[in-house]
Amino acid sequence: MPIYEYICTQCGNEFEELVFNDEKPVACPQCGATETEKLMSACSAKVDGGGPNLEALQGSSCGTGGG
Ligand SMILES: [Zn+2]
């Protein structure tokens, strides 16, 4: 299902919302503000041990500082 993660810029609440139309604004379920930003689901992937994660290496845009 097209579930996207959003973060409210008003209260900082993170939530998931079923979005069928990107044009439709998503309101924060906590404060009701429509000032929300879509989060990249690719960055939310967590590696629980194992071999090297190619996706993490390729996702340069997700880099947080690096070094
Ligand atoms: Zn909010």
Side-chain angles (χ1 to χ4, degrees):
M1 290 186 292
I3 299 179
Y4 295 96
E5 288 186 62
Y6 284 84
I7 183 171
C8 178
T9 58
Q10 295 297 324
C11 67
N13 177 39
E14 294 183 14
F15 59 95
E16 295 178 350
E17 184 74 17
L18 273 168
V19 178
F20 297 97
N21 296 327
D22 291 342
E23 296 180 356
K24 182 180 180 180
V26 178
C28 173
Q30 183 165 285
C31 69
T34 54
E35 298 295 334
T36 54
E37 294 184 0
K38 184 189 296 182
L39 299 177
M40 296 289 103
S41 61
C43 298
S44 63
K46 295 180 181 178
V47 180
D48 188 10
N53 187 359
L54 295 177
E55 292 182 359
L57 296 175
Q58 292 176 353
S60 59
S61 61
C62 299
T64 56

